């Protein structure tokens, strides 16, 4: 079985479009608006879950399902858009599972969570991962030039740009880059699940590449 309670999978597009990625940002605007509202809900839910875990050692199931649903929605949008750019199938508007969609995510519900870990895991214990993810995503990486401040794109942004250029000129998605982007996304989502209190399993410092979760 996988070493992580989080399962992140992605099926690559067999015949990707050369240029659809140019307008995906426009097509995804409705999703961006909905996700903005949903993430506000996640912040509220996480505060409630924090105290619930601290008192009872359990993450309320309905709240857990909501947060997992938002992560699932985010992963589908990222997979279609500029996180992986690996499918031309438009993401569905749902918090639930979509087994036939190329991007899939699920997290096993923990029957019991540590009351003590909830105090420190989302900030102190996760700091090493936050530093690594900053390099992945470009968060906190800025450069000044001619009086203007620019945010660096991060490793994921650079790799997706290479994928976009490859698609434009060859209509092929480089398989090695797909595997690498899946590994980077999987790492990011594992840390997100840990920081959002969905699991006590510490994210491994490991780049598990490929479309499916590694089996152990």
């Amino acid at each position: 079985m996988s070493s992580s309670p989080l399962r992140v999978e992605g099926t690559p597009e067999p015949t990707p479009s050369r240029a659809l990625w140019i307008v995906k940002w426009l097509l995804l605007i409705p999703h961006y608006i909905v996700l903005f509202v949903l993430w506000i809900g996640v912040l509220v839910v996480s505060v409630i879950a924090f105290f619930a875990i601290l008192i009872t050692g359990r993450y309320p199931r309905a709240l857990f399902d909501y947060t997992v649903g938002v992560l699932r929605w985010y992963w589908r949008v990222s997979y279609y858009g500029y996180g992986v750019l690996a499918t031309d199938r438009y993401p569905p508007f749902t918090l639930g599972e979509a087994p036939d969609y190329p991007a899939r995510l699920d997290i096993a519900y923990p029957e019991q969570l540590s009351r003590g870990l909830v105090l420190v895991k989302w900030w102190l214990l996760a700091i090493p991962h936050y530093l690594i993810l900053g390099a992945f995503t470009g968060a906190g990486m800025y450069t000044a030039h001619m009086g203007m401040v620019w945010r660096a794109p991060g490793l994921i942004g650079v790799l997706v740009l290479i994928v976009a250029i490859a698609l434009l000129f060859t209509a092929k998605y480089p398989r090695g880059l797909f595997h690498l982007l899946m590994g980077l996304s999987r790492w990011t989502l594992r840390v997100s699940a840990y920081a959002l209190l969905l699991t006590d399993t510490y994210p491994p410092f490991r780049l598990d590449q490929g479309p499916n979760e590694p089996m152990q």
Side-chain angles (χ1 to χ4, degrees):
M1 59 181 296
S2 172
S3 61
S4 172
L6 174 66
R7 176 177 58 85
V8 178
E9 297 179 342
T11 304
E13 188 81 25
T15 55
S17 167
R18 286 178 180 266
L20 184 60
W21 61 268
I22 296 175
V23 296
K24 280 185 176 180
W25 66 271
L26 180 62
L27 300 177
L28 282 173
I29 287 177
H31 278 284
Y32 293 150
I33 294 172
V34 174
L35 278 173
F36 177 78
V37 176
L38 291 175
W39 278 114
I40 293 176
V42 167
L43 293 177
V44 175
V45 163
S46 295
V47 172
I48 298 172
F50 173 88
F51 288 103
I53 296 168
L54 190 63
I55 297 170
T56 69
R58 294 175 63 88
Y59 199 123
R61 186 59 189 261
L63 302 185
F64 179 90
D65 290 342
Y66 171 80
T67 304
V68 171
V70 175
L71 274 179
R72 187 181 287 131
W73 193 320
Y74 166 80
W75 170 231
R76 289 192 290 249
V77 169
S78 178
Y79 193 80
Y80 172 83
Y82 304 102
V84 186
L85 210 61
T87 184
D88 294 336
R89 288 186 56 189
Y90 197 70
F93 287 83
T94 177
L95 293 170
E97 294 188 63
D100 62 334
Y101 193 75
R104 299 167 298 279
L105 179 150
D106 198 20
I107 305 177
Y109 178 71
E111 294 296 335
Q112 197 71 26
L113 291 167
S114 169
R115 299 182 186 184
L117 276 179
V118 76
L119 296 171
V120 294
K121 67 181 182 181
W122 56 275
W123 66 281
L124 180 62
L125 298 183
I127 286 176
H129 280 288
Y130 292 154
L131 296 176
I132 295 172
L133 295 188
F136 288 175
T137 64
M141 299 170 61
Y142 296 89
T143 182
H145 178 65
M146 298 181 64
M148 301 184 68
V149 178
W150 303 87
R151 176 181 168 182
L155 178 58
I156 291 177
V158 171
L159 295 177
V160 169
L161 177 59
I162 296 172
V163 167
I165 295 172
L167 286 173
L168 186 62
F169 288 100
T170 70
K172 293 181 179 179
Y173 195 120
R175 184 55 59 93
L177 290 184
F178 171 75
H179 287 184
L180 180 54
L181 283 166
M182 282 296 300
L184 295 171
S185 299
R186 190 170 282 123
W187 191 325
T188 301
L189 289 164
R190 285 173 179 171
V191 174
S192 298
Y194 184 76
L196 289 171
L197 314 179
L198 297 171
T199 177
D200 282 344
T201 302
Y202 195 72
F205 289 90
R206 188 176 67 237
L207 196 60
D208 288 327
Q209 301 185 50
N212 301 312
E213 284 287 338
M215 303 299 291
Q216 294 188 353

